Amino acid sequence: MPLFRVTIKQMKLSGGVRIERGMSVDVVTNSMSNPLTTNGGQAVADAFMRVYGVDMKKLGALSTVYLDVVRVG
């Protein structure tokens, strides 16, 4: 199963919720494709909620504008 590291590229503040450049999570998927484009980015949203308590969907930051995805393993 591939491992992807998803990292915030730029700061965003919305509704009192803030994400900072450099925050990152690791996401394990069953498919070889980018987890940000698979299933609406749900795996990425779940990982940020689990690690930082941030709802990336509500923040509107589930896009390549804010996130950098790199396959690690």
Side-chain angles (χ1 to χ4, degrees):
M1 295 201 299
L3 174 67
F4 292 90
R5 178 155 297 133
V6 183
T7 307
I8 305 291
K9 292 195 288 189
Q10 66 181 15
M11 187 275 297
K12 180 172 184 172
L13 175 63
S14 177
V17 178
R18 180 179 183 146
I19 55 173
E20 289 285 338
R21 183 175 186 219
M23 293 170 71
S24 67
V25 294
D26 292 336
V27 178
V28 177
T29 65
N30 290 327
S31 69
M32 299 298 254
S33 60
N34 185 338
L36 192 56
T37 59
T38 305
N39 195 22
Q42 189 60 48
V44 175
D46 291 345
F48 273 97
M49 181 58 81
R50 183 177 59 251
V51 175
Y52 297 106
V54 174
D55 188 347
M56 295 294 281
K57 284 189 177 185
K58 185 176 179 182
L59 191 59
L62 275 180
S63 74
T64 56
V65 172
Y66 297 101
L67 301 173
D68 182 37
V69 181
V70 176
R71 184 169 176 199
V72 179

